[in-house]
Amino acid sequence: MHKHHSALGVATALKPAAPVTLIRPQAAARAARFFAEKFPGRSLYAVKANPSPDLLRTLWDSGITHYDVASIAEVRLVAETLPDAKLCFMHPVKAEEAIAEAYHTHGVRTFSLDTIDELEKILRATCDATDLELCVRLRVSSEHSELSLASKFGVELGETRELLMATRQAADALGICFHVGSQAMSPQAYSDAIERVRAAIVDAAVTVDIIDVGGGFPSVYPGMEPPALEAYFDAIYRGFESLPISYSAELWCEPGRALSAEYSSVIVRVERRRGRELYINDGAYGALFDAAHIGWRFPVALLRHDESEAELTGFSFYGPTCDDMDHMVGPFMLPDDVQAGDYVEIGMLGAYGAAMRTGFNGFTSEAVVEVEDEPMASLYADPVPARRRATVIKLG
Ligand SMILES: Cc1ncc(COP(=O)(O)O)c(C=O)c1O
């Protein structure tokens, strides 16, 4: 793949008519090293956030050896891309055929569950295997997170004892896992969830071998500037250390967003301006699903050689399809003189952005270019290069 120095360089050299995904392997590698070195346990990458094989190889090369997969397609993808990786099948509701293939063909031994029915299904599919690591998923609050994951999965407190005891009987190693919701804005989310774990362990009086605190670690976006990740790791470690679990118990986490958000951004072209509305060539059915459907604001930068002196103004975006819903409210802050023909970089799309692209209405783009400059925001960069300082959101 041809490498460019910067997003501006790509826009200038290629003048692309379709959106271009920019990848920054060095940013993903830095995030992976951060987790591998500083998280006080094992970090599993949650593949759903961005299943790009290039990204998977970058994370592997930077110390991430375990992968949280949620579908048989993700199992196959990671098994093929990283044959020595350890796969953990952490979707609590799986097809029996998927469990059987994962266990018998791909060597998966770790599965999550939140019902007795799923436990029985796992045992059937694996022919009553005796080498299983089974993680019971507890339902915990998403109150500190921007995206809730509190309603779909997780066993309720009243049913936890029976499930933990039954799973203990069947498992070689028993784990407890949870997910505090995505983009957790406070370490308190994990401290509270670990208290819920404590209550469950005391109530069921079982020996627990794995505590998996899930994903939810934040990235940085306009209007969402979380505390440093070390504060999350400290809160988790303190909670873990105080749990009544076996001496040799392991601590795991499953970051998706925090490992992949900085990996990619997208260059779009403005096709039309109507007042404060810009018609761009990517949108709700492309890499901007979250911007359209949950009003997420991503950082933006106008890519012009001579920096605009115009005042920053809030714009909304329309995507390229014929659909009214292809609308991103923003506001996205750009110089007031932005016009048709301009290129704009939309940052922090490595998590749940590039991965959500569809071909609806004939608008899609496979173009990917590697760049060497810094992502538009970072939880890991220090110091921020001068050229991008205006658009970079940095922790103090
Ligand atoms: C089981 C599980 N683990 C990890 C993740 C990754 O979450 P995040 O991207 O918020 O870190 C998810 C996301 O949905 C998930 O469902």
Side-chain angles (χ1 to χ4, degrees):
M1 188 183 305
H2 190 63
K3 247 193 219 177
H4 285 256
H5 175 60
S6 66
L8 177 61
V10 174
T12 314
L14 305 184
K15 298 197 175 12
V20 176
T21 299
L22 304 182
I23 57 166
R24 294 181 171 86
Q26 70 284 4
R30 180 171 59 192
R33 285 195 303 271
F34 187 94
F35 268 85
E37 286 162 18
K38 298 199 173 178
F39 182 75
R42 188 180 298 291
S43 303
L44 287 59
Y45 173 56
V47 173
K48 63 179 75 64
N50 188 330
S52 148
D54 286 337
L55 173 61
L56 295 177
R57 280 186 283 266
T58 297
L59 297 175
W60 172 266
D61 290 342
S62 306
I64 303 295
T65 54
H66 288 47
Y67 293 78
D68 155 19
V69 284
S71 61
I72 195 62
E74 288 183 358
V75 171
R76 291 175 192 149
L77 170 74
V78 183
E80 196 182 312
T81 313
L82 306 172
D84 295 327
K86 175 163 167 168
L87 306 185
C88 303
F89 206 155
M90 303 308 276
H91 192 309
V93 185
K94 296 167 284 300
E96 195 160 327
E97 296 84 345
I99 300 167
E101 182 183 327
Y103 182 85
H104 295 291
T105 309
H106 302 290
V108 178
R109 296 291 177 266
T110 312
F111 298 88
S112 79
L113 60 125
D114 62 2
T115 58
I116 293 278
D117 285 350
E118 187 74 9
L119 175 61
E120 288 169 355
K121 195 199 292 176
I122 293 169
L123 293 176
R124 266 195 318 273
T126 61
C127 309
D128 290 319
T130 55
D131 57 355
L132 296 171
E133 292 183 329
L134 298 179
C135 296
V136 171
R137 174 139 165 194
L138 301 193
R139 180 172 302 196
V140 299
S141 161
S142 278
E143 67 182 301
H144 295 285
S145 301
E146 296 294 326
L147 289 174
S148 173
L149 286 173
S151 43
K152 191 167 179 181
F153 298 130
V155 58
E156 293 286 2
L157 199 48
E159 297 152 21
T160 310
R161 182 203 289 178
E162 185 198 358
L163 185 56
L164 278 174
M165 288 168 70
T167 309
R168 178 69 276 178
Q169 297 270 307
D172 182 34
L174 172 65
I176 295 186
C177 61
F178 57 78
H179 199 302
V180 298
S182 206
Q183 186 72 9
M185 294 302 290
S186 165
Q188 183 78 37
Y190 294 90
S191 316
D192 291 353
I194 290 171
E195 282 314 303
R196 166 95 171 74
V197 171
R198 178 194 313 285
I201 295 174
V202 169
D203 186 42
V206 286
T207 305
V208 174
D209 308 297
I210 301 160
I211 300 293
D212 176 356
V213 300
F217 297 94
S219 187
V220 58
Y221 304 91
M224 286 185 242
E225 293 170 44
L229 285 174
E230 284 94 337
Y232 291 76
F233 296 174
D234 286 350
I236 289 167
Y237 189 63
R238 273 200 308 277
F240 173 74
E241 281 287 283
S242 69
L243 285 176
I245 46 182
S246 85
Y247 242 143
S248 55
E250 292 183 21
L251 174 63
W252 295 2
C253 69
E254 302 167 7
R257 179 184 303 283
L259 287 180
S260 59
E262 298 180 22
Y263 177 64
S264 69
S265 61
V266 173
I267 293 182
V268 298
R269 188 166 70 184
V270 178
E271 301 295 358
R272 176 185 172 186
R273 175 172 176 171
R274 184 175 75 178
R276 299 270 166 82
E277 297 165 327
L278 301 180
Y279 293 61
I280 60 174
N281 58 359
D282 202 358
Y285 302 94
L288 299 176
F289 182 96
D290 282 347
H293 296 286
I294 51 172
W296 207 274
R297 287 171 55 213
F298 292 94
V300 290
L302 182 58
L303 300 176
R304 276 195 205 152
H305 249 300
D306 301 320
E307 264 181 59
S308 170
E309 303 281 307
E311 213 175 303
L312 286 181
T313 305
F315 289 89
S316 66
F317 294 156
Y318 274 111
T321 69
C322 301
D323 198 334
D324 259 16
M325 275 165 57
D326 197 356
H327 184 221
M328 285 64 65
V329 175
F332 301 99
M333 303 306 291
L334 287 164
D336 201 19
D337 62 353
V338 59
Q339 55 188 297
D342 273 326
Y343 287 97
V344 172
E345 182 183 6
I346 306 177
M348 312 304 285
L349 289 170
Y352 310 106
M356 312 281 269
R357 194 183 283 290
T358 74
F360 177 56
N361 219 175
F363 294 99
T364 190
S365 174
E366 303 285 307
V368 179
V369 171
E370 184 176 333
V371 285
E372 291 166 336
D373 59 357
E374 280 289 333
M376 293 175 70
S378 182
L379 276 184
Y380 311 101
D382 196 31
V384 180
R387 167 94 189 134
R388 297 176 75 75
R389 202 167 284 147
T391 51
V392 167
I393 309 137
K394 251 207 34 72
L395 298 172

